[in-house]
Amino acid sequence: MLAASRRWRAQGLKVGLVPTMGALHAGHLSLIEAARTENDIVVVSIFVNPLQFGPAEDFARYPRDPAHDTGLLGGASVDAVYRPSVEVMYPPGSSTRVHVSGVADPLEGAARPGHFEGVTTVVSKLFTAVEPDRAYFGQKDAQQAAVVKRMARDLDFPVEIRVCPTVREPDGLALSSRNAYLGPEERLAARSLSSALRLAALAYAAGERRPEELRKVLCGRLEAEPLARVEYAQVVDPETFTPPGTLAVLAVRIGKTRLIDNHDLSQVFSG
Ligand code: AMP
């Protein structure tokens, strides 16, 4: 991958990288479109990264559908797909990890020990393998994007991190590869996340600024949903991911499926 990327860049072409774990959907396609608009070359990576899954998490059953991905990418304008194997990414004996502290510690960092270390390790390896000018991440995983930005800055990766808006289903549910786990009743219950974010944005627009009150709005809606179990619901600063702030962040289990979502309450919720 690196030789091709260096050839492109030697010709003065800008390279945009879209890192994914496959099971592609319209959220991923929106990142690809943004990369297409802003670069000459678009590279998509597909790698289900074992390092970012905890021992009790869903690595083994994470949806993998290469034929579906190839079909979707056929309709998108992509110059190269980088699909490294686990052995190429982590050859026997590999033992180095990239660890970000601070922004990586609360919320997802606390709920999923080792998760962000897995993410920053693989993303730094992807940056080394592709040497992109720009890399594209989704606001859907807002803390991940902030952690990657911190890492790129701290390790002097010469890459611009671009964060693209969350793509949602018509009823507001944020697209996610994990939505495929939801049964029909759970799928209905999953609307509670976007619905809670919408209600909190309305409360904010009506003048509510007290973090505890905004949290109550979020939790009130989520707890009204019998299939939902709240892991966290907070309103935090979008840079540090600690209170106070305007970014409402949620992690909720619907049955066995863990979903996350977020919304900046100072903005209209248009999902
Ligand atoms: P994943 O394949 O789930 O690791 O996601 C790859 C990239 O797509 C990450 O930067 C995600 O934040 C982004 N992404 C996932 N879902 C969405 C969505 N609904 N809208 C926009 N970006 C998304």
Side-chain angles (χ1 to χ4, degrees):
M1 193 63 245
L2 187 56
S5 183
R6 286 195 169 158
R7 246 187 340 265
W8 287 318
R9 287 174 42 255
Q11 294 165 40
L13 303 175
K14 294 287 182 198
V15 177
L17 170 67
V18 181
T20 81
M21 297 205 296
L24 300 178
H25 52 64
H28 299 114
L29 293 182
S30 75
L31 304 186
I32 293 171
E33 275 163 33
R36 182 81 273 162
T37 307
E38 296 177 356
N39 302 276
D40 304 296
I41 299 290
V42 176
V43 178
V44 175
S45 65
I46 299 182
F47 181 63
V48 186
N49 176 29
L51 227 55
Q52 70 188 71
F53 290 78
E57 293 185 358
D58 56 343
F59 174 68
R61 71 176 190 125
Y62 192 83
R64 292 163 173 87
D65 194 345
H68 161 89
D69 291 346
T70 304
L72 265 194
L73 289 175
S77 180
V78 168
D79 298 284
V81 181
Y82 179 50
R83 292 181 200 250
S85 64
V86 173
E87 292 69 33
V88 162
M89 266 301 174
Y90 306 117
S94 114
S95 62
T96 302
R97 302 288 179 262
V98 177
H99 180 86
V100 173
S101 53
V103 63
D105 292 335
L107 303 170
E108 286 301 281
R112 303 182 67 190
H115 169 66
F116 282 134
E117 197 172 272
V119 170
T120 42
T121 300
V122 80
V123 170
S124 61
K125 286 179 69 79
L126 291 169
F127 286 175
T128 301
V130 180
E131 294 186 348
D133 296 286
R134 301 187 184 89
Y136 293 79
F137 295 86
Q139 174 66 21
K140 158 79 168 45
D141 299 280
Q143 194 179 2
Q144 168 175 278
V147 169
V148 168
K149 271 189 185 168
R150 183 76 262 163
M151 177 202 72
R153 218 175 298 151
D154 290 351
L155 296 185
D156 306 312
F157 279 108
V159 56
E160 185 187 342
I161 306 301
R162 307 281 290 140
V163 183
C164 302
T166 302
V167 177
R168 297 177 180 281
E169 298 282 6
D171 68 0
L173 177 66
L175 296 191
S176 163
S177 306
R178 290 191 168 95
N179 293 350
Y181 298 151
L182 300 169
E185 271 183 53
E186 293 173 337
R187 172 62 187 81
L188 290 176
R191 295 182 302 186
S192 56
L193 281 86
S194 55
S195 170
L197 294 171
R198 185 182 295 110
L199 288 176
L202 286 173
Y204 189 94
E208 184 57 79
R209 295 291 182 275
R210 291 167 296 177
E212 217 21 65
E213 293 306 312
L214 292 167
R215 222 180 86 79
K216 271 189 202 157
V217 174
L218 292 168
C219 291
R221 173 64 185 91
L222 292 167
E223 283 160 8
E225 174 50 64
L227 292 182
R229 194 157 51 77
V230 181
E231 220 171 79
Y232 61 73
Q234 285 196 35
V235 185
V236 298
D237 179 281
E239 304 269 311
T240 63
F241 286 80
T242 53
T246 58
L247 187 70
V249 285
L250 306 177
V252 179
R253 281 191 194 274
I254 305 286
K256 287 196 172 112
T257 304
R258 184 176 187 275
L259 300 177
I260 59 170
D261 201 351
N262 68 85
H263 178 69
D264 183 338
L265 299 181
S266 65
Q267 310 290 315
V268 173
F269 187 90
S270 53

